[in-house]
Amino acid sequence: MTKSNPKYASLTDENLLANYRENDDLVYLGELYQRHSEMVYYVCLRYFQDSENSKDAVMQIFEELMHKVNKQEINDFPRWLYVVAKNFCLMQLRSKKNISTTSLDEFVKFPYDLHPSENSEEKEEQLTAMEQCLDKLPEKQKASIDLFFLQEKCYQEISIQTGYSMKEVKSFIQNGKRNLKICMEKQDEQR
């Protein structure tokens, strides 16, 4: 890994990111990435268990950043970059091993599908109710439900991302679905 340029040492991560977004100058993004490239390398090494693949991934992730940083709101660059690197590695592993994700069809319908409706206003109400109910779930259930249904992650990915065991992930999803269903049924009764 090369060292950062002392010329930019006084600039914060936020300054570098803002300068890149304003000027579209790769020097700023390169400097910003360089500051955190060692962390990216070790994230990749943890997943790939191979130094050369990890070095390649560091370069590929930088190429992705050129497109991603302008499309997303970034409040904490190192944390955001960590998630980008981890997701990149998981996607690479998934594509190589064809890790299958569990289909929604294998489960009881997700709560917003419980009452199918052609009326878009009614669907909007159901989605709003679901979001409110989702916010009421315990944090572990909420995170697992969000990752599984909304971000379409498999159990293994959720386990890796959250640190929960596979058994816990399955339990949080099952209990979260049940709690969402109960909450939404109560909201339907109140309408």
Side-chain angles (χ1 to χ4, degrees):
M1 309 288 161
T2 59
K3 291 190 175 194
S4 294
N5 187 332
K7 176 181 173 183
Y8 301 106
S10 65
L11 295 176
T12 65
D13 288 356
E14 292 78 18
N15 296 142
L16 289 169
L17 184 58
N19 283 333
Y20 173 69
R21 286 177 168 169
E22 288 170 20
N23 305 313
D24 203 30
D25 186 342
L26 275 177
V27 171
Y28 295 110
L29 185 62
E31 177 64 25
L32 178 59
Y33 189 66
Q34 185 58 46
R35 289 180 181 183
H36 305 287
S37 61
E38 189 172 350
M39 177 266 299
V40 172
Y41 172 76
Y42 285 112
V43 168
C44 295
L45 188 60
R46 187 175 82 203
Y47 285 99
F48 297 142
Q49 302 291 311
D50 178 85
S51 178
E52 289 307 310
N53 284 343
S54 299
K55 289 176 185 175
D56 290 344
V58 169
M59 296 307 298
Q60 292 172 322
I61 291 168
F62 178 71
E63 290 171 12
E64 282 190 10
L65 289 189
M66 290 185 270
H67 309 288
K68 288 187 175 190
V69 294
N70 288 325
K71 295 178 182 175
Q72 297 181 6
E73 185 175 325
I74 303 169
N75 296 321
D76 182 345
F77 185 80
R79 181 176 289 165
W80 177 83
L81 182 59
Y82 173 84
V83 172
V84 168
K86 182 181 65 168
N87 288 343
F88 176 87
C89 294
L90 290 171
M91 291 303 290
Q92 293 296 312
L93 292 172
R94 178 192 284 172
S95 67
K96 287 179 184 171
K97 294 183 180 178
N98 278 332
I99 298 172
S100 61
T101 56
T102 308
S103 167
L104 292 179
D105 298 335
E106 295 176 29
F107 290 91
V108 179
K109 290 186 175 182
F110 194 50
Y112 63 78
D113 289 332
L114 289 176
H115 310 290
S117 166
E118 296 302 315
N119 182 338
S120 62
E121 195 172 296
E122 191 173 326
K123 280 186 179 182
E124 185 63 34
E125 286 177 17
Q126 288 176 1
L127 286 171
T128 301
M130 186 201 61
E131 288 173 358
Q132 290 170 350
C133 288
L134 192 58
D135 285 339
K136 293 177 184 176
L137 289 178
E139 191 56 41
K140 291 178 180 180
Q141 290 179 13
K142 179 180 176 181
S144 299
I145 289 282
D146 177 64
L147 290 167
F148 186 78
F149 288 106
L150 304 177
Q151 296 183 39
E152 298 181 347
K153 305 279 186 192
C154 68
Y155 290 148
Q156 184 176 4
E157 290 173 312
I158 296 169
S159 178
I160 291 168
Q161 188 167 339
T162 61
Y164 308 145
S165 71
M166 293 279 277
K167 188 176 180 181
E168 287 175 316
V169 168
K170 289 177 184 178
S171 176
F172 294 146
I173 290 170
Q174 184 178 13
N175 292 334
K177 278 183 11 184
R178 185 187 68 244
N179 291 336
L180 274 175
K181 181 178 178 182
I182 291 167
C183 176
M184 290 188 67
E185 286 172 351
K186 284 180 183 176
Q187 287 198 3
D188 275 351
E189 291 169 8
Q190 294 172 357
R191 282 193 233 162

